Amino acid sequence: MPDLILTYAEATGVIQQHAKTLLDQKPVSEHVPLLASLHRVLAEPIVADRDQPPFPRSTRDGFACRAEDISAAKPLHIIGQLRAGEAWRSSPLASGQAIEIMTGAPVPPGADCVVMVEHVKIKDDVLFIESGQTLEPGENIVPSGAEARSGSIIVPAGTRLAASHVAAAAACGFAAVTVYARPRVAILATGDELVSVDHTPLTHQIRNSNSYSLAAQATLAGAQPVILPVAPDDEAEIESAISGASGCDLLLLSGGVSMGKYDFVEQALKAQGAEFLFTGAKIQPGRPVVFGKLPKQYFFGLPGNPVSTMVTFLLFAQPLIAALAGEDHSGLRFALARLAHDFRTKPGLTRFLPARIDFQIASPQATIILWQGSGDLASTASANGFVVIPPTADKIAAGDSVSVLLV
Ligand code: AMP
Ligand code: MG
């Protein structure tokens, strides 16, 4: 099998290209109650069913009146009160008049501003405005339709729904929304040394943690994980497990993709008709990562080292899952931070080093965590992101800006 080792940028380009093709083939959709739609991907846009706000809305507790009367500093006659949920039914407000109004109430016709209750004094039914107060017409009022026009799209299809989108849907009267079905992601860990979490391992055995990290990451990425039984380092057994996953939208394998004598995953994939799109990336951790297409679905052969598995999932599998889920965003989140210390490395690879990022308001600070390499889950458990070291860098000074990948 010829090697197809790509740089990080090239590998990302390949993933983006296939993600784009997947996005054009929309997944099936389903109707779910509004609250069950949180974190799902919207299949039909949320459209405003009326102007927002539907009436000129007071944004303050105070008095609706005319701006020109305030400039004239004359006392105003209070002719009534308006609570939120009430409409003004009498004749329009005239010059010299004020109507007491609560936040969220419709500003009555004839009024063009709302003076805040904090800036007035009331004696009997007369309103005295604090001296020096001036208001522009429109102040403390949101005109009807200023936030959204009836019929306009408030949340487009393809959006992964956050709390603010659920709120917008509720405001538009959506008791249920149409979302895309979650892609089914098969997870196949391979390795003779693996035992399940509920078994006591012998000294030379390892608990299978990758099926769990991948299932957790796939769930966060919006997929439905399907954990398959662990396959031993045996080509025929791996092949049969691969063919058993053909009902899923994506297959994630872990382990068995390095140069070891018992690394059979690529041969097994090939025997099952795989086309390889890359067979390695110039990254650390995760260099042996494999991506390609089986007759029924895409697959990733992720390296077995637990940190490599998680990093390669984030970088490559998550964007593909987002596309399978109909999401128009890869889900990858990068930010800039200042490195808290000097750092030296060998150039050549794009590195993603577990880091503790302190998100302070002035400027986030990143500290690379000391680790024993890509098998060190214990150190990585204290990371909340990865510092990205570009392939050209050999040293970075404390205080320099670095890109961080957020998890
Ligand atoms: P491999 O990619 O098969 O060469 O495995 C690399 C390292 O990752 C070895 O130390 C394995 O024991 C470890 N490893 C492989 N698969 C898993 C897994 N599912 N859970 C935890 N560790 C694993
Ligand atoms: Mg192995």
Side-chain angles (χ1 to χ4, degrees):
M1 215 172 329
D3 276 349
L4 256 172
I5 316 278
L6 306 186
T7 63
Y8 169 63
E10 290 165 345
T12 299
V14 170
I15 297 287
Q16 278 169 353
Q17 179 198 332
H18 288 273
K20 197 166 172 298
T21 315
L22 284 173
L23 254 186
D24 292 339
Q25 312 152 16
K26 298 281 179 238
V28 293
S29 53
E30 61 192 17
H31 238 37
V32 295
L34 181 53
L35 260 189
S37 73
L38 185 65
H39 294 154
R40 300 291 301 270
V41 180
L42 196 61
E44 283 174 11
I46 302 293
V47 174
D49 64 331
R50 56 183 187 155
D51 282 356
Q52 288 186 15
F55 50 80
R57 183 181 64 215
S58 174
T59 62
R60 303 281 186 218
D61 297 316
F63 291 83
C65 55
R66 296 189 177 190
E68 63 194 22
D69 284 351
I70 301 230
S71 320
K74 56 178 180 189
L76 302 178
H77 180 52
I78 303 171
I79 60 164
Q81 191 197 65
L82 261 178
R83 301 159 61 147
E86 275 182 340
W88 185 249
R89 306 227 178 265
S90 315
S91 46
L93 177 137
S95 176
Q97 297 181 328
I99 294 169
E100 187 170 16
I101 192 166
M102 309 302 148
T103 302
V107 174
D112 65 4
C113 69
V114 172
V115 58
M116 288 164 67
V117 67
E118 292 88 336
H119 298 152
V120 298
K121 290 225 166 16
I122 304 146
K123 194 149 183 270
D124 301 325
D125 274 343
V126 181
L127 185 74
F128 298 90
I129 318 285
E130 210 172 60
S131 73
Q133 275 296 319
T134 57
L135 284 183
E136 297 292 328
E139 221 167 317
N140 299 330
I141 299 173
V142 181
S144 52
E147 294 164 353
R149 284 281 175 206
S150 177
S152 65
I153 292 179
I154 303 213
V155 188
T159 305
R160 190 171 294 282
L161 297 172
S164 59
H165 304 124
V166 172
C172 295
F174 284 77
V177 294
T178 310
V179 296
Y180 291 124
R182 287 192 179 97
R184 282 162 52 86
V185 173
I187 294 167
L188 174 60
T190 69
D192 286 340
E193 74 279 34
L194 301 178
V195 297
S196 62
V197 285
D198 52 359
H199 275 59
T200 308
L202 301 173
T203 310
H204 53 275
Q205 293 180 318
I206 294 291
R207 290 197 182 94
N208 168 23
S209 60
N210 289 348
S211 292
Y212 289 87
S213 61
L214 289 174
Q217 289 182 299
T219 303
L220 287 176
Q224 220 179 312
V226 179
I227 299 182
L228 304 176
V230 170
D233 292 314
D234 175 279
E235 191 177 332
E237 295 233 28
I238 297 172
E239 258 199 64
S240 121
I242 291 171
S243 71
S246 59
C248 286
D249 303 299
L250 176 69
L251 169 61
L252 302 178
L253 300 107
S254 97
V257 286
S258 303
M259 300 299 284
K261 208 166 172 183
Y262 300 98
D263 288 335
F264 293 126
V265 164
E266 282 173 82
Q267 287 99 304
L269 283 163
K270 186 155 190 257
Q272 286 295 307
E275 174 197 349
F276 291 87
L277 297 162
F278 57 79
T279 58
K282 293 177 186 164
I283 59 172
Q284 189 228 2
R287 202 206 57 84
V289 59
V290 176
F291 172 53
K293 220 172 165 178
L294 279 159
K296 296 271 171 61
Q297 80 274 73
Y298 283 96
F299 69 84
F300 285 94
L302 304 177
N305 262 318
V307 185
S308 308
T309 315
M310 294 190 76
V311 168
T312 47
F313 176 94
L314 261 185
L315 296 177
F316 305 124
Q318 178 172 291
L320 207 80
I321 291 175
L324 283 166
E327 188 182 7
D328 62 4
H329 184 271
S330 75
L332 281 176
R333 299 176 309 144
F334 290 97
L336 286 179
R338 304 218 165 268
L339 199 60
H341 50 82
D342 292 336
F343 178 79
R344 280 185 175 280
T345 187
K346 268 197 253 160
L349 300 175
T350 307
R351 295 174 203 269
F352 299 87
L353 304 178
R356 185 82 216 154
I357 300 141
D358 179 6
F359 291 98
Q360 13 176 349
I361 189 159
S363 157
Q365 277 240 337
T367 306
I368 295 173
I369 292 169
L370 284 178
W371 66 329
Q372 300 297 323
S374 54
D376 191 347
L377 256 191
S379 295
T380 307
S382 63
N384 60 351
F386 296 88
V387 164
V388 186
I389 309 288
T392 47
D394 61 352
K395 61 173 184 291
I396 299 176
D400 280 0
S401 188
V402 287
S403 209
V404 291
L405 170 62
L406 307 181
V407 291

